[in-house]
């Protein structure tokens, strides 16, 4: 263990571990029913669980033993009441742990160390690459896209308490800590109603206002201070994106009206931030020639926030021109007093404009196909479209004329066209950057892309004024393998290439990690995305197109999360690196970007990864031909193992009856249904979030490792282990894949479900998964030479261990509740208690997923 790792681990133990034990004792003063007894009883249950699993007892046996030894409760209802109280108690323990980690962030992490801008400065000086940095910054950027995907169980009120509690802990203010813990006790965690898409947008806007606004401002100021020449003409290196209110894929509750309303909210939030900053500036810039200009700006901003008819009375350029005029006066007439404050606001306006974050529109490809079929059947476009082949259809789409009326009876067609009108409205009020991308999920052909471009022609946009980037999203293993062929067809299409040239010859392509993993398993999904990026970069360069990759990443490694910045820093020059674009979903928003310090640190890590990959990478390619062949072989073997599991006749039934999958829809954490379409549950329609999240709560995390051990065993049996070891030692890309695999496995706990091993229906699947886990663990520890998983990251390892221990009682209670429901199903018993057990299983999800921080 390095000296820094040892120091960080010691700090973590003191600032998080010991303080958790100390402040945890304050929970006895929380205003719960019989709180003292609940706390004491929970610690007894904790001990019972740890002891019981060592004895191979089932969750049901552990709880029955607990009730007999430590309580006088004999009635089922009394026992359930106590279990619900335990759930409430543990939920709040998790909040305390989150707040402690947030408070310790700047102490535990080296804010000037590897991967930070300070570190970049020393590297640039040491290697004398100032000119190269200027060239890189001239067109490099990262785009963080906040999504509405439902993996965040904390309501807004609780997020606020975490923020305040973290600050009180940092200041060691025991009275405030106690007060906030009491507030926590009185604040409900459970949402009685599903949030609307607008509610989800408001929750995410909170992060823009309170975290990203300040963090991004700090980073831009740092860059301009550290690299004044390199950043003089550069565009802002940070852009924010936004999906809530624009992501229509499978969410019937998102309408064009929602999209407009969210865009207005984003604009209003940005202007409010500027207004507050201008008021702060007024207190400092009390100089002659400045006061009146600032007052006029404040008035205009105020009108835009509070008086509806003034909504478009100001532009981002006008704000910037005004601030720069003030800066000239301050520099030349007032000794540059407080010019840093002024520069800070200018930087923020340059980053956020009047849109705060670019609102993306996303829709599933089949919707557009049905739209054109409807229009052709009604004679609104050429009826030959119905029988034409793909190439002929693309030609028809490229020559579409505007519809005479957009007032169409069919609701799906009407809403789709209304979305196009909403984009026009947003570009007019928030600026072009406010909404200029249309993402097509389940994209598998060039026709799917032209269908979207055709929508704008139908809506009356002139060909040379379509300021929209059409972004195909390739998700399944098959789609990823066909992606380069699809883009070649598009690049050969004269209409589409003309459109691309008008957009600066830049093509954004989105790649989905989540569905790829669900479709082909962990290793094959990551390998397929890598190969797709190489092929897409090559074909795009052949046609003179700058390709930008937008990664659809979730929280856990199984959905492209984990140590994300290490992936980007491991890429060579074979994969386009003009920008880093990725989704920030659910828990990842609060865990990695929940405070200004954490957000600044993690954004700097991404910036450093993208810049250093170009400036300092000694590898022209990420992987040599031999390394590619070896990973391809491993991926194929792992894919075979994963498909074998997925094709088990009871696979989906196992997940549905042993995990809390079927209770996902009742958690009221997101507006979007858990699956696409209606009817019976199928693996194809099941969304990646509930799929991965269910495995996570089951503590089996299949999608984060399954097949990896089998693949390594195959090469080992062929006497080729040294090749795998060399690959791990020499390839940062493969090593990061393995590191993330370890993280997924560290969060597994098979004793929880060991009682399933002998189940007549599900026992075989449990044993198959457990055997693969043990096999993968053996080979990963053999690779890294460590005795334990995640031993290379001791702070994160300890954090995972402590969090898993906190929720062990919840895991036990949830499995007990699920097993009771399953027994009722198997025995065809109808009883009112069934709904109580279902609610108990669902309520446990809150604490379990929040504790995991990147579990879904």
């Amino acid at each position: 263990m390095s000296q820094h790792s040892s120091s960080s681990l010691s700090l973590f133990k003191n600032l998080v571990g010991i303080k958790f034990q100390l402040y945890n004792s304050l929970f006895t003063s929380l205003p719960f029913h019989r709180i003292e007894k609940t706390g004491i009883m929970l610690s007894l249950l904790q001990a019972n669980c740890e002891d019981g699993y060592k004895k191979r007892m089932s969750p049901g046996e552990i709880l029955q033993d607990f009730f007999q030894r430590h309580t006088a409760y004999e009635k089922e209802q009394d026992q359930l009441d106590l279990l619900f109280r335990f759930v409430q108690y543990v939920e709040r323990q998790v909040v305390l742990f989150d707040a402690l980690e947030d408070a310790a962030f700047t102490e535990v992490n080296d804010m000037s160390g590897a991967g930070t801008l300070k570190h970049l400065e020393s590297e640039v000086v040491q290697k004398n690459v100032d000119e190269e940095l200027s060239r890189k910054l001239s067109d490099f950027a990262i785009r963080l896209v906040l999504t509405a995907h439902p993996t965040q169980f904390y309501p807004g009120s609780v997020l606020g308490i975490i923020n305040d509690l973290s600050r009180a802990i940092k200041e060691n203010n025991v009275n405030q800590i106690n007060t906030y813990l009491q507030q926590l006790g009185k604040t409900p965690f459970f949402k009685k109603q599903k949030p609307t898409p607008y509610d989800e947008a408001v929750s995410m806007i909170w992060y823009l206002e309170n975290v990203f606004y300040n963090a991004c401002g700090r980073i831009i100021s740092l860059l301009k201070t550290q690299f004044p020449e390199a950043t003089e003409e550069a565009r802002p290196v940070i852009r924010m994106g936004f999906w809530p209110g624009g992501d229509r894929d499978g969410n019937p509750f998102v309408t064009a009206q929602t999209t407009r309303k969210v865009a207005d909210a984003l604009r209003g939030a940005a202007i409010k931030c500027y207004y507050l900053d201008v008021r702060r500036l007024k207190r400092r810039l009390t100089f002659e020639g400045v006061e009146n200009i600032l007052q006029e700006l404040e008035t205009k901003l105020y009108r835009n926030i509070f008086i509806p008819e003034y909504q478009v009375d100001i532009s981002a350029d006008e704000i910037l021109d005004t601030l720069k005029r003030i800066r000239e006066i301050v520099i030349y007439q007032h000794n540059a007093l407080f010019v840093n404050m002024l520069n800070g606001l200018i930087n923020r306006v340059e980053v956020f404009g009047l849109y705060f974050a670019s609102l993306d529109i996303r829709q599933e490809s089949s919707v557009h196909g049905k739209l054109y079929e409807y229009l052709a059947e009604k004679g609104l476009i050429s009826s030959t479209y119905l029988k034409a082949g793909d190439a002929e259809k693309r030609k028809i789409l490229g020559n579409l004329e505007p519809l005479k009326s957009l007032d169409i009876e069919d609701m799906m067609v009407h809403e789709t066209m209304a979305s196009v009108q909403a984009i026009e409205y947003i570009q007019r009020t928030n600026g072009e950057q406010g909404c200029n991308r249309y993402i097509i999920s389940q994209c598998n052909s060039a026709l799917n892309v032209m269908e979207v471009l055709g929508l704008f022609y139908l809506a009356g946009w002139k060909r040379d004024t379509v300021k929209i980037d059409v972004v195909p999203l390739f998700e399944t293993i098959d789609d990823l393998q066909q992606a380069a062929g699809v883009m070649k067809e598009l690049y050969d299409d004269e209409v589409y290439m003309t459109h691309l040239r008008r957009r600066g010859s830049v093509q954004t392509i989105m790649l989905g990690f989540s569905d790829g993993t669900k479709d082909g398993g962990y290793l094959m999904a990551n390998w397929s995305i890598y190969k797709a990026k190489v092929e897409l970069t090559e074909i795009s360069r052949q046609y003179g197109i700058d390709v930008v990759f937008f990664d659809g990443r979730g929280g856990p490694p199984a959905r492209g999360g984990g140590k994300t910045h290490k992936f980007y820093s491991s890429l060579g020059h074979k994969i386009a690196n003009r920008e880093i674009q990725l989704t920030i979903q659910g828990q990842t928003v609060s865990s990695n970007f929940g405070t200004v310090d954490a957000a600044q640190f993690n954004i700097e890590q991404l910036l450093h990864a993208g810049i250093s990959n170009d400036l300092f990478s000694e590898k022209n390619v990420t992987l040599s031909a031999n390394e590619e062949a070896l990973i391809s072989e491993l991926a194929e073997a792992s894919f075979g193992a994963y498909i074998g599991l997925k094709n088990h006749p009871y696979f989906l039934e196992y997940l549905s009856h042993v995990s809390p999958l079927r209770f996902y829809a009742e958690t009221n954490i997101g507006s979007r249904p858990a699956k696409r379409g209606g009817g019976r549950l199928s693996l194809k329609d099941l969304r990646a979030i509930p799929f991965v999240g269910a495995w996570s709560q089951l503590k089996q995390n299949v999608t984060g490792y399954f097949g990896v051990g089998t693949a390594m065993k195959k090469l080992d049996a062929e006497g080729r282990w040294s090749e795998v070891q060399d690959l791990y030692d020499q390839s940062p890309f493969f090593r990061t894949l393995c590191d993330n695999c370890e993280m997924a496995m560290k969060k597994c706990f098979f004793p929880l479900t060991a009682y399933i091993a002998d189940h007549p229906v599900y026992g075989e699947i449990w044993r198959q998964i457990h055997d693969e886990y043990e096999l993968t663990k053996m080979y990963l520890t053999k690779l890294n030479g460590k005795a334990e998983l995640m031993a290379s990251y001791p702070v994160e390892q300890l954090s995972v261990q402590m969090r898993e221990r906190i929720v062990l009682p919840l895991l036990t209670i949830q499995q007990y509740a699920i097993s009771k429901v399953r027994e009722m199903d198997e025995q065809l018993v109808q009883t009112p208690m069934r709904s109580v057990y279902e609610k108990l299983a669902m309520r446990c999800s809150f604490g379990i997923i929040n504790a995991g921080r990147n579990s879904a």
Side-chain angles (χ1 to χ4, degrees):
M1 189 188 302
S2 70
Q3 189 174 351
H4 173 66
S5 295
S6 178
S7 171
S8 295
L9 183 61
S10 177
L11 283 166
F12 186 88
K13 286 177 179 176
N14 290 329
L15 297 175
V16 181
I18 292 172
K19 280 192 175 183
F20 178 75
Q21 301 301 328
L22 173 66
Y23 292 135
N24 194 32
S25 64
L26 292 177
F27 270 94
T28 55
S29 63
L30 287 181
F32 286 131
H33 171 58
R34 285 177 286 178
I35 180 67
E36 300 90 344
K37 191 173 182 183
T38 303
I40 294 165
M41 299 287 274
L42 181 62
S43 63
L44 292 172
L45 176 58
Q46 178 92 45
N48 252 50
C49 290
E50 290 172 353
D51 189 48
Y53 288 123
K54 287 174 184 173
K55 297 176 180 175
R56 295 186 60 81
M57 292 169 69
S58 71
E61 290 168 338
I62 288 170
L63 285 174
Q64 289 309 315
D65 179 60
F66 166 76
F67 285 124
Q68 288 169 11
R69 287 170 57 188
H70 302 297
T71 77
Y73 298 147
E74 294 183 0
K75 291 182 181 176
E76 187 175 21
Q77 189 59 56
D78 290 339
Q79 293 177 351
L80 284 167
D81 286 345
L82 179 60
L83 295 181
F84 274 108
R85 293 212 306 276
F86 285 157
V87 172
Q88 283 187 309
Y89 199 100
V90 174
E91 282 173 348
R92 285 149 179 84
Q93 284 185 314
V94 172
V95 167
L96 172 61
F97 197 86
D98 284 348
L100 284 163
E101 280 205 329
D102 287 346
F105 191 89
T106 55
E107 299 291 331
V108 173
N109 294 279
D110 188 351
M111 304 299 283
S112 300
T116 64
L117 291 182
K118 200 71 185 166
H119 180 229
L120 177 67
E121 183 180 24
S122 62
E123 288 178 300
V124 169
V125 171
Q126 187 180 344
K127 301 195 177 180
N128 194 24
V129 288
D130 296 74
E131 287 184 20
E132 290 87 341
L133 178 66
S134 295
R135 280 197 297 274
K136 179 65 181 174
L137 290 178
S138 67
D139 66 355
F140 176 72
I142 63 167
R143 183 190 289 236
L144 306 177
V145 181
L146 307 180
T147 79
H149 292 169
T151 63
Q152 178 52 265
F153 280 80
Y154 289 138
S157 53
V158 175
L159 287 171
I161 295 171
I162 293 175
N163 200 282
D164 295 339
L165 183 57
S166 175
R167 191 169 59 249
I169 290 169
K170 212 168 184 177
E171 295 166 358
N172 235 3
N173 190 327
V174 178
N175 287 333
Q176 272 195 345
I177 293 167
N178 196 31
T179 304
Y180 292 142
L181 289 176
Q182 288 190 49
Q183 180 190 1
L184 197 61
K186 288 286 191 181
T187 303
F189 277 44
F190 180 59
K191 298 171 183 174
K192 293 180 180 176
Q193 293 180 316
K194 272 185 176 291
T196 65
Y198 184 72
D199 293 334
E200 292 173 328
V202 169
S203 295
M204 286 298 162
I205 289 172
W206 184 92
Y207 285 101
L208 287 171
E209 292 176 309
N210 293 281
V211 178
F212 290 102
Y213 182 74
N214 293 309
C216 295
R218 275 192 199 173
I219 290 170
I220 301 297
S221 295
L222 266 173
L223 271 171
K224 288 188 173 182
T225 303
Q226 290 175 226
F227 311 108
E229 291 180 10
T231 54
E232 192 174 1
E233 299 298 325
R235 61 177 181 163
V237 295
I238 305 169
R239 290 287 186 206
M240 297 302 299
F242 206 75
W243 276 18
D247 183 8
R248 307 189 62 147
D249 175 24
N251 192 338
F253 307 111
V254 177
T255 65
Q257 189 58 38
T258 308
T259 305
R260 288 178 179 235
K261 191 177 176 184
V262 170
D264 288 343
L266 284 164
R267 184 180 192 276
I271 291 175
K272 185 176 78 174
C273 288
Y274 302 153
Y275 172 73
L276 293 172
D277 270 355
V278 166
R279 285 182 63 85
R280 290 186 194 101
L281 274 172
K282 273 182 67 182
R283 297 184 62 169
R284 295 290 166 264
L285 302 183
T286 52
F287 317 133
E288 189 179 339
V290 172
E291 271 190 301
N292 290 342
I293 304 173
L294 263 181
Q295 181 59 55
E296 285 176 23
L297 180 57
E298 182 192 355
T299 303
K300 276 202 167 188
L301 293 169
Y302 178 88
R303 285 174 181 170
N304 266 265
I305 298 169
F306 298 110
I307 305 174
E309 58 264 32
Y310 282 96
Q311 198 178 22
V312 290
D313 187 37
I314 199 166
S315 68
D317 286 341
E318 183 184 343
I319 297 171
L320 283 170
D321 288 345
T322 304
L323 293 172
K324 287 175 181 177
R325 195 162 90 246
I326 292 170
R327 182 169 64 182
E328 289 280 307
I329 297 169
V330 168
I331 290 172
Y332 292 109
Q333 297 180 27
H334 303 291
N335 302 327
L337 274 173
F338 305 114
V339 77
N340 286 340
M341 280 182 72
L342 200 50
N343 284 334
L345 180 53
I346 290 170
N347 294 338
R348 290 181 177 95
V349 178
E350 286 176 341
V351 170
F352 300 113
L354 284 189
Y355 53 89
F356 223 151
S358 298
L359 187 58
D360 288 341
I361 305 298
R362 183 171 80 132
Q363 182 57 284
E364 204 246 328
S365 60
S366 65
V367 171
H368 307 128
K370 290 171 186 172
L371 177 143
Y372 285 105
E373 286 174 11
Y374 174 88
L375 294 178
E377 285 168 359
K378 296 292 182 181
L380 297 172
I381 63 171
S382 172
S383 58
T384 60
Y385 188 87
L386 290 168
K387 293 183 179 178
D390 276 15
E392 185 60 30
K393 282 182 177 178
R394 291 206 310 272
K395 192 174 289 185
I396 294 170
L397 292 170
N399 292 294
L400 286 173
E401 293 298 322
L403 292 170
K404 290 177 181 175
S405 170
L406 295 180
D407 190 15
I408 296 168
E409 286 183 12
D410 184 272
M411 186 52 69
M412 179 269 294
V413 177
H414 176 82
E415 265 299 317
T416 304
M417 296 310 298
S419 288
V420 176
Q421 289 176 293
I423 294 170
E424 190 273 331
Y425 163 80
I426 296 166
Q427 290 197 356
R428 192 172 67 251
T429 57
N430 295 16
E432 184 205 317
Q433 291 285 334
C435 185
N436 63 357
R437 304 205 302 187
Y438 196 122
I439 298 164
I440 315 157
S441 55
Q442 305 286 317
C443 182
N444 49 45
S445 70
L447 176 62
N448 291 159
V449 176
M450 287 302 294
E451 284 170 340
V452 170
L453 193 57
L455 295 176
F456 294 89
Y457 301 156
L458 288 173
W461 292 45
K462 292 179 181 176
R463 293 226 179 352
D464 60 351
T465 63
V466 180
K467 295 177 180 177
I468 291 293
D469 296 322
V470 184
V471 181
L473 166 52
F474 300 109
E475 302 176 84
T476 67
I477 301 299
D478 283 346
D479 290 348
L480 288 165
Q481 290 171 348
Q482 303 302 319
V486 169
M487 295 314 299
K488 184 179 188 307
E489 277 189 59
L490 281 168
Y491 295 154
D492 283 330
D493 189 294
E494 189 179 333
V495 172
Y496 189 73
M497 274 299 274
T498 301
H499 170 71
L500 265 190
R501 281 191 283 270
R502 290 192 184 114
R503 299 298 294 158
S505 296
V506 177
Q507 172 67 57
T508 302
I509 298 173
M510 187 173 181
L511 302 167
F513 284 75
S514 303
D515 282 279
T517 307
K518 188 188 89 172
D519 191 40
Y522 176 71
L523 206 51
M524 178 55 91
N526 279 277
W527 176 238
S528 297
I529 287 170
Y530 168 84
K531 281 200 302 180
K533 282 187 175 182
V534 170
E535 291 165 4
L536 288 165
T537 300
E538 187 179 347
I539 194 72
S540 298
R541 285 172 177 168
Q542 286 174 17
Y543 283 83
I545 299 297
D546 282 328
V547 67
V548 172
F549 294 117
F550 175 23
D551 292 341
R553 295 180 180 272
R559 295 185 55 237
K563 300 194 171 300
T564 308
H565 63 279
K566 285 186 176 274
F567 275 113
Y568 293 117
S569 64
S570 71
L571 302 177
H573 304 299
K574 208 172 178 181
I575 291 175
N577 182 37
R578 175 178 169 140
E579 293 187 21
I580 290 177
Q581 298 190 6
L582 69 159
T583 53
I584 309 294
Q585 300 181 11
Q587 292 166 303
T588 312
V589 180
S590 58
S591 60
N592 288 358
F593 304 92
T595 66
V596 175
D597 289 328
Q600 181 180 342
F601 181 80
N602 285 302
I603 293 171
E604 285 190 24
Q605 294 286 317
L606 285 170
L607 280 170
H608 184 276
I611 293 169
S612 64
N613 183 49
D614 264 13
L615 265 59
F616 312 127
S617 176
E618 295 174 3
K619 299 181 76 171
N620 280 325
V621 294
T622 314
L623 299 162
S624 67
N626 287 340
E627 288 172 335
E628 283 191 356
L630 188 60
I631 295 185
S632 180
E633 202 174 334
L634 287 165
E636 288 292 343
S638 115
F639 178 68
Y642 179 75
I643 292 300
L645 175 70
K646 208 169 79 163
N647 288 343
H648 192 286
Y650 295 117
F651 178 74
L652 195 56
E653 195 178 317
Y654 172 87
L655 190 60
S656 182
H657 288 274
V658 179
S659 82
L661 176 64
R662 54 180 154 166
F663 308 119
Y664 247 84
E666 298 163 41
T667 54
N668 290 339
I669 55 163
S671 66
R672 193 171 70 166
K675 63 187 184 72
R676 291 182 172 93
R680 292 186 61 191
L681 181 68
S682 73
L683 200 56
K684 182 179 183 297
D685 292 333
L686 180 62
R687 291 194 175 276
I689 288 172
F691 181 74
V692 173
W695 287 115
S696 170
Q697 289 186 67
L698 196 53
K699 291 298 157 190
Q700 294 181 2
N701 281 335
V702 161
T703 47
Y705 64 86
F706 198 93
V708 174
T710 295
M712 291 182 176
K713 182 182 178 183
K714 176 180 179 293
L715 267 71
D716 191 17
E718 293 171 5
R720 299 168 60 197
W721 180 251
S722 61
E723 294 178 42
V724 182
Q725 188 68 60
D726 288 345
L727 180 66
Y728 179 84
D729 292 340
Q730 294 168 20
S731 166
F733 173 78
F734 183 67
R735 194 158 56 248
T736 303
L737 277 179
C738 292
D739 286 349
N740 278 350
C741 197
E742 286 187 51
M743 183 189 292
M745 295 178 70
K746 188 66 182 175
K747 295 181 179 182
C748 291
F749 184 64
F750 279 89
L752 175 72
T753 50
Y755 71 102
I756 303 286
D758 299 322
H759 191 279
V761 178
Y762 307 128
E764 183 185 351
I765 296 182
W766 187 93
R767 292 191 296 274
Q768 191 175 344
I769 295 168
H770 179 251
D771 289 348
E772 183 65 28
Y773 168 86
E774 291 294 341
L775 186 66
T776 306
K777 182 181 176 183
M778 181 190 82
Y779 277 112
L780 286 178
T781 50
K782 184 178 179 181
L783 264 184
N784 62 29
K786 309 284 184 183
E788 298 176 322
L789 295 169
M790 284 186 75
S792 300
Y793 303 95
V795 172
E796 285 142 301
Q797 181 194 51
L798 182 56
S799 175
V800 169
Q801 287 171 347
M802 291 186 71
R803 286 174 175 277
E804 295 298 307
R805 186 170 187 271
I806 291 168
V807 295
L808 186 59
L810 283 197
L811 293 164
T812 305
I813 293 168
Q814 185 181 64
Q815 268 302 306
Y816 169 66
I818 291 170
S819 67
K820 294 291 279 188
V821 173
R822 187 169 61 248
E823 286 168 16
M824 292 174 195
D825 285 346
E826 290 170 352
Q827 294 166 17
L828 302 176
V829 174
Q830 293 296 324
T831 166
M833 294 307 292
R834 178 196 171 94
S835 63
V836 180
Y837 282 109
E838 286 180 338
K839 183 182 178 185
L840 182 59
M842 178 269 292
R843 286 290 280 113
C844 288
S845 294
F846 288 67
I848 296 168
I849 287 194
N850 284 334
R853 282 215 148 178
N854 70 346
S855 55

